[in-house]
Amino acid sequence: MTGVQELAYVVYEVGDLADWEHFGVTLLGMQVGERTADGFTLRTDEKAHRWIVTEGPADDLVASGYQVASDEALDALVDRLTAAGVAVTEGGAELAAARRVERLVQVTDPMGNPVELVTGLADAATPFRSDALLGSFVTGTGGAGHQVLLSKGVERAEYLAFYEGLLGFRISDRIVEELAPGVFADLIFLHCNPRHHSVAFGDMPHPRKVHHFMVEVTDIRDVGRAYDRCMDAGQPFEMTLGMHPNDHMFSFYVRTPSGFSVEYGWGGLLIDEATWQVTTLDRLHSWGHRPPELVHELLGRAPRTNRLPGSEH
């Protein structure tokens, strides 16, 4: 079935543009693409942008752009959505130009999230350059990265009917972990290219539409360097360094100035459709990914000593 190929870009509405530019460029290693009337864009590769940052009160995700291979593929996708009763609106030339795409249509997912289906995301006029990175960001056929969205009480069958049944995503796997007696975290992960997942969903208590966006780097040292930059800047962390059991991503989670998080990772697994088996795992993290407050608590309880081994005598 013809469907989306990649998560091409995301659009955020944020309350403090200066904080966001510092966060994206200085701490994460992105590059400003262009200044706009209401904000700026951020680049992570040769594309004109991957993040569009606009000023406003939401401090949240306001649109997700998913790329489709061609006009013909987009027409087929529009026909499928329309036949299913989903309202589809042509975005028009002005919005397409602002998004730097050839064509754009707008729909809304079952949680109320605006989705932009696009063709032809443009390349930038200049090569990508980051003074902070030793390597580069992992994009290409995997798109900009992945995002985890909050299902906000919408039944799983309903949003899977949209993302899997209409947009053409495939289920990668599911994680169900009992966090406390009778309290479960239940997330489902979907892919549309070899990246393990481009979108995932969970019904977690969270004030935003998006829990986090993941960016991946090619050099493991850049994870450590970004971790240090965020720590030195006093940027709040959500989770310490760790690894996931499903996509094998080595990463940490740092909070954006808007309150949701960025996962900054390396080494993500790629899916081979010919051999991939959908499974359900029982834990969110293979190791690490601890809340910082838990680490502080453990350090506070731990015995401390400055003695070297063998120095007791």
Side-chain angles (χ1 to χ4, degrees):
M1 178 175 69
T2 302
V4 302
Q5 288 187 316
E6 65 173 74
L7 174 56
Y9 60 82
V10 285
V11 186
Y12 298 123
E13 187 178 281
V14 309
D16 192 318
L17 290 173
D19 277 358
W20 260 89
E21 183 170 344
H22 172 74
F23 177 77
V25 176
T26 305
L27 301 187
L28 301 189
M30 298 179 176
Q31 177 186 0
V32 171
E34 62 179 349
R35 309 284 177 183
T36 62
D38 58 354
F40 57 89
T41 66
L42 291 169
R43 295 177 56 193
T44 60
D45 61 6
E46 77 283 355
K47 293 298 180 184
H49 52 241
R50 291 298 191 173
W51 290 12
I52 301 170
V53 181
T54 63
E55 189 171 26
D59 271 317
D60 206 346
L61 175 74
V62 294
S64 302
Y66 292 99
Q67 180 145 287
V68 180
S70 64
D71 265 343
E72 293 76 16
L74 184 54
D75 287 338
L77 185 51
V78 167
D79 289 344
R80 190 160 64 244
L81 287 159
T82 302
V86 177
V88 180
T89 304
E90 286 283 346
E94 185 176 348
L95 182 58
R99 299 291 197 248
R100 301 292 304 277
V101 299
E102 294 174 0
R103 184 180 164 200
L104 181 153
V105 300
Q106 297 170 299
V107 296
T108 302
D109 78 5
M111 283 73 69
N113 299 311
V115 172
E116 299 176 353
L117 304 171
V118 306
T119 61
L121 177 60
D123 289 342
T126 58
F128 173 74
R129 182 172 180 268
S130 172
D131 293 330
L133 296 185
L134 298 173
S136 59
F137 289 103
V138 177
T139 56
T141 58
H146 77 234
Q147 59 181 346
V148 175
L149 304 179
L150 284 303
S151 58
K152 300 294 185 182
V154 175
E155 292 293 330
R156 179 160 290 169
E158 186 176 351
Y159 62 74
L160 285 183
F162 179 82
Y163 280 92
E164 183 185 17
L166 297 176
L167 297 191
F169 281 85
R170 283 85 71 194
I171 296 173
S172 304
D173 46 42
R174 181 182 173 195
I175 298 180
V176 182
E177 180 179 355
E178 188 169 16
L179 303 175
V183 178
F184 292 88
D186 186 348
L187 286 86
I188 192 163
F189 303 81
L190 308 177
H191 66 277
C192 58
N193 54 56
R195 192 186 289 279
H196 176 272
H197 58 285
S198 291
V199 68
F201 300 94
D203 194 3
M204 301 169 282
H206 196 279
R208 303 288 187 260
K209 296 176 181 178
V210 58
H211 178 270
H212 72 264
F213 189 98
M214 187 283 305
V215 292
E216 184 178 1
V217 289
T218 60
D219 193 320
I220 192 173
R221 295 174 296 175
D222 279 323
V223 177
R225 285 160 60 96
Y227 193 79
D228 281 354
R229 289 195 299 271
C230 292
M231 187 179 298
D232 291 344
Q235 196 70 25
F237 287 87
E238 181 177 1
M239 285 186 272
T240 61
L241 290 164
M243 183 175 285
H244 293 296
N246 58 345
D247 67 355
H248 300 175
M249 190 72 71
F250 168 68
S251 64
F252 67 90
Y253 289 68
V254 62
R255 294 199 190 279
T256 69
S258 293
F260 58 89
S261 293
V262 166
E263 180 185 6
Y264 203 96
W266 171 87
L269 178 148
L270 298 178
I271 284 180
D272 179 353
E273 288 285 356
T275 59
W276 186 256
Q277 297 291 318
V278 177
T279 58
T280 298
L281 297 88
D282 63 359
R283 54 189 172 148
L284 293 167
H285 316 289
S286 300
W287 60 270
H289 284 161
R290 298 190 177 195
E293 57 269 21
L294 175 60
V295 175
H296 295 322
E297 180 184 342
L298 292 172
L299 288 173
R301 292 204 309 258
R304 300 187 179 189
T305 177
N306 292 324
R307 292 178 180 176
L308 295 173
S311 64
E312 293 83 356
H313 303 292

